[in-house]
């Protein structure tokens, strides 16, 4: 996994940006579709609860945009009830 690598997103497709919530090492998505890359990233983070934001670059390749500490994360494309279901697992 490459860190601190800069790529151009000149034709950024906002529809490709997705937020994944990670709870106790398990990755959750709003639609139950979880890319392998998100799971691999989650394995390397020691926090019990955080977010992973990903999007496609200009070549259509999935890229990590940021990892969040959930305190400043909105729910983005998530239905509120879906997020509540996950939080009830705590």
């Amino acid at each position: 996994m490459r860190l601190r690598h800069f790529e151009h997103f000149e034709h950024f497709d906002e529809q490709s940006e997705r937020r994944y919530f990670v709870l106790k090492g398990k990755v959750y998505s709003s639609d139950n579709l979880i890319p392998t890359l998100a799971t691999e990233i989650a394995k390397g983070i020691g926090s019990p609860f955080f977010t992973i934001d990903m999007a496609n670059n200009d070549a259509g390749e999935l890229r990590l945009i940021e990892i969040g500490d959930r305190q400043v994360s909105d729910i983005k494309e998530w239905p509120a009830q879906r997020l509540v279901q996950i939080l009830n697992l705590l």
Side-chain angles (χ1 to χ4, degrees):
M1 181 179 334
R2 183 184 283 181
L3 298 177
R4 296 183 184 238
H5 177 77
F6 180 80
E7 289 189 38
H8 288 282
F9 283 78
E10 293 177 20
H11 306 289
F12 179 66
D13 177 9
E14 292 182 25
Q15 299 300 319
S16 77
E17 187 174 6
R18 303 291 305 211
R19 172 158 290 155
Y20 302 93
F21 284 88
V22 182
L23 177 62
K24 298 179 182 177
K26 183 172 180 183
V27 181
Y28 295 90
S29 72
S30 62
D31 58 5
N32 294 320
L33 300 175
I34 302 166
T36 302
L37 182 56
T39 303
E40 291 174 12
I41 291 167
K43 288 178 184 177
I45 307 298
S47 176
F49 185 49
F50 59 97
T51 59
I52 299 173
D53 289 355
M54 303 185 81
N56 292 332
N57 66 8
D58 288 348
E61 301 164 320
L62 190 60
R63 294 294 189 242
L64 172 66
I65 301 299
E66 69 177 337
I67 295 172
D69 67 0
R70 93 259 176 221
Q71 293 181 28
V72 295
S73 298
D74 67 19
I75 60 174
K76 290 190 150 285
E77 75 276 359
W78 283 69
Q81 188 58 36
R82 173 80 173 119
L83 185 56
V84 168
Q85 289 172 336
I86 293 167
L87 293 175
N88 281 332
L89 298 173
L90 286 172

